[in-house]
Amino acid sequence: MGSMKPVKTNKAEEPELEPLCCCEYIDRNGEKNHVAACLCDCQDLDEGCDRWITCKSVQPETCERIMDTISDRLRIPWLRGAKKVNISIIPPLVLLPVFLRVASWHFLLGGVVLTSLPVLALWYYYLTHRRKEQTLFFLSLGLFSLGYMYYVFLQEVVPKGRVGPTQLALLTCGLFLILLALYRAKKNPGYLRNPASNDRPLSSGQTECLTRKGQEKTKGFPGTESSGSLNNRTLKDEPKGSSRVLVGSPTKVKEDWCAKCQLVRPARAWHCRICGICVRRMDHHCVCCVGESNHQAFILALSIFLLTSVYGITLTLDTICRDRSVFTALFYCPGVYADYSSALSFTCVWYSVIITAGMAYIFLIQLINISYNVTEREVQQALRQKTGRRLLCGLIVDTGQYNRGFLRNWYQFSTLGAHPFHHPAEDIV
């Protein structure tokens, strides 16, 4: 008998994806698209414009689809495919220089603009936190504010000859130290590892939690490290506040079971609804999660920012309002609006004062919380449940649960993250 040859089965070969050029990308529908075609096939946008021109109301669903289309097609050419640009970073880059330059035209315009900017920022803050959305708006606003204030200082203040090389070097050094501290604060705040994830570490991709209509969608988070991981499962059938009791476990375990991350949290750990991850000793979420591993860097960034900002404000006022004290020049600087350069510098000074005052309040609250060994998350919970002791008209909230005295509280804060595998008895569930 002849040798039997293996029968070759003809399988439909799957088409291989061709590598993307610098102007191509894969859109939200999984199809290859091109940056030059960003204005093509915009039915929702066309419909919205038609209804706006004819003075008809636009449905909220149409507005959401328009924003999704714009955010998906807003890309810049890059190697191996166009990169998506987060639409939330654009408003600060465009509106901040425009508003400050308009405010420098007249002191009345300055009062209106400088009053409206904090109001708009707070409105956007509460809007995004209420919707549980993660945004780069505030990080972009903070970084661009630093860069733009430094640019105005170099362009308008330094040429007047009142700032020496040593003073400029100190201000520049402070700016770089702020950026380094912010970079450290953006690191992993202390994400809790999910036992069901096979100890797979977080990659350095992007994490974006978009919560819409009660559903969460989680991706990689920038700057995260390997001390935490995400659970890709979405718990749709488990109601909010559900708990699970382990055999032989105390009753306290039931209260610290996170239904979304599917893990038992240690004491003082909380689930961040913005990032979608449980964070060890979570304090709060602003531009990033602040927890056990980056709380010290956050305090360091605040302190360096306050010192650098006050120093820059002093140098600027000493240049444009000579022979006056800083406090007097801030409220009375005659002739400052006669020159556009001085008016712009004076407007930027007041903008810096507003930002510095807000950061100083946050810094003061942080110092008080550290002195009483309480996190901001625990303060908010104690106020809701009326279990905390309020002092100084509510500026101080002492829960009494972890307070071990001023020195011991600060010593514990100074050693946060030093022993990741050892925690004091108060943190054991």
Side-chain angles (χ1 to χ4, degrees):
M1 295 178 61
S3 60
M4 298 292 296
K5 295 183 180 180
V7 179
K8 296 182 179 180
T9 59
N10 295 327
K11 295 182 179 179
E13 297 182 358
E14 298 181 356
E16 297 182 358
L17 292 178
E18 298 179 358
L20 300 174
C21 72
C22 62
C23 296
E24 293 179 329
Y25 63 94
I26 304 299
D27 60 15
R28 56 177 179 167
N29 298 323
E31 300 176 355
K32 183 183 292 188
N33 212 326
H34 199 275
V35 173
C38 61
L39 299 178
C40 299
D41 299 330
C42 298
Q43 290 84 2
D44 295 324
L45 184 59
D46 294 339
E47 179 185 353
C49 292
D50 292 338
R51 297 183 68 88
W52 178 73
I53 293 174
T54 56
C55 298
K56 296 181 180 179
S57 61
V58 181
Q59 298 297 328
E61 295 80 7
T62 304
C63 294
E64 291 183 2
R65 290 196 301 267
I66 291 175
M67 293 304 300
D68 291 341
T69 302
I70 294 176
S71 61
D72 183 58
R73 298 187 180 186
L74 187 62
R75 298 175 184 261
I76 57 174
W78 202 257
L79 300 176
R80 298 181 181 178
K83 293 294 184 180
K84 187 176 180 180
V85 179
N86 195 315
I87 197 172
S88 62
I89 69 176
I90 297 179
L93 305 182
V94 177
L95 297 179
L96 182 62
V98 174
F99 283 167
L100 292 180
R101 291 188 178 273
V102 170
S104 62
W105 292 348
H106 196 270
F107 72 94
L108 292 179
L109 284 175
V112 172
V113 172
L114 293 177
T115 304
S116 61
L117 281 178
V119 174
L120 291 175
L122 289 175
W123 171 79
Y124 186 79
Y125 173 82
Y126 287 111
L127 181 65
T128 53
H129 273 239
R130 185 181 63 182
R131 295 182 177 179
K132 304 178 183 179
E133 295 177 355
Q134 190 177 41
T135 175
L136 296 179
F137 174 84
F138 297 101
L139 179 61
S140 174
L141 178 62
L143 294 178
F144 187 67
S145 296
L146 287 175
Y148 189 70
M149 295 301 105
Y150 186 70
Y151 169 77
V152 172
F153 185 83
L154 293 179
Q155 291 292 115
E156 309 296 342
V157 179
V158 174
K160 298 182 184 299
R162 297 276 293 184
V163 179
T166 304
Q167 296 170 321
L168 180 60
L170 287 175
L171 189 66
T172 306
C173 182
L175 180 64
F176 278 104
L177 289 177
I178 292 174
L179 296 178
L180 289 176
L182 284 176
Y183 174 77
R184 178 63 186 87
K186 284 289 291 180
K187 292 286 187 177
N188 186 353
Y191 295 130
L192 286 176
R193 190 186 301 273
N194 192 334
S197 61
N198 297 326
D199 296 336
R200 181 170 52 88
L202 285 175
S203 60
S204 59
Q206 293 183 339
T207 295
E208 183 182 356
C209 296
L210 300 175
T211 305
R212 288 183 181 178
K213 300 177 181 180
Q215 296 182 356
E216 290 187 351
K217 180 175 61 179
T218 307
K219 303 178 183 176
F221 186 66
T224 53
E225 292 180 346
S226 59
S227 63
S229 59
L230 298 175
N231 184 15
N232 295 325
R233 292 184 298 173
T234 303
L235 300 178
K236 299 181 180 179
D237 299 331
E238 191 167 2
K240 182 178 179 181
S242 60
S243 58
R244 182 178 301 180
V245 182
L246 302 179
V247 179
S249 299
T251 309
K252 182 67 176 176
V253 175
K254 177 178 64 176
E255 301 175 356
D256 291 299
W257 170 261
C258 180
K260 294 184 178 180
C261 294
Q262 294 289 285
L263 51 80
V264 177
R265 297 176 299 201
R268 313 193 76 177
W270 297 94
H271 182 86
C272 178
R273 63 178 187 176
I274 307 297
C275 294
I277 313 173
C278 283
V279 179
R280 190 181 299 276
R281 198 184 182 275
M282 177 182 172
D283 188 84
H284 69 282
H285 184 105
C286 50
V287 296
C288 62
C289 256
V290 178
E292 183 180 82
S293 300
N294 66 343
H295 200 171
Q296 297 171 350
F298 178 76
I299 296 297
L300 180 62
L302 282 178
S303 58
I304 298 176
F305 170 79
L306 292 176
L307 293 175
T308 305
S309 180
V310 171
Y311 186 62
I313 291 171
T314 304
L315 293 178
T316 304
L317 290 177
D318 183 65
T319 301
I320 62 178
C321 299
R322 302 182 181 183
D323 301 328
R324 296 180 184 274
S325 64
V326 175
F327 186 80
T328 303
L330 190 61
F331 293 96
Y332 181 70
C333 187
V336 69
Y337 282 93
D339 179 40
Y340 179 75
S341 175
S342 299
L344 180 61
S345 301
F346 189 73
T347 302
C348 291
V349 163
W350 262 105
Y351 175 75
S352 301
V353 168
I354 294 173
I355 299 299
T356 304
M359 294 298 103
Y361 174 77
I362 296 176
F363 185 66
L364 176 62
I365 295 299
Q366 287 290 310
L367 294 182
I368 293 175
N369 290 345
I370 294 171
S371 301
Y372 283 86
N373 197 3
V374 63
T375 64
E376 186 63 24
R377 183 66 176 80
E378 293 166 350
V379 167
Q380 298 301 324
Q381 186 186 37
L383 292 178
R384 286 195 300 267
Q385 300 178 355
K386 298 181 180 181
T387 57
R389 186 165 58 99
R390 306 184 67 172
L391 306 172
L392 292 179
C393 300
L395 188 63
I396 301 175
V397 178
D398 182 18
T399 61
Q401 187 175 5
Y402 304 111
N403 190 358
R404 300 296 181 266
F406 180 83
L407 295 180
R408 292 187 63 183
N409 292 339
W410 273 97
Y411 174 76
Q412 180 179 348
F413 176 78
S414 64
T415 57
L416 285 179
H419 306 286
F421 299 102
H422 173 73
H423 299 279
E426 65 186 27
D427 290 343
I428 298 178
V429 179

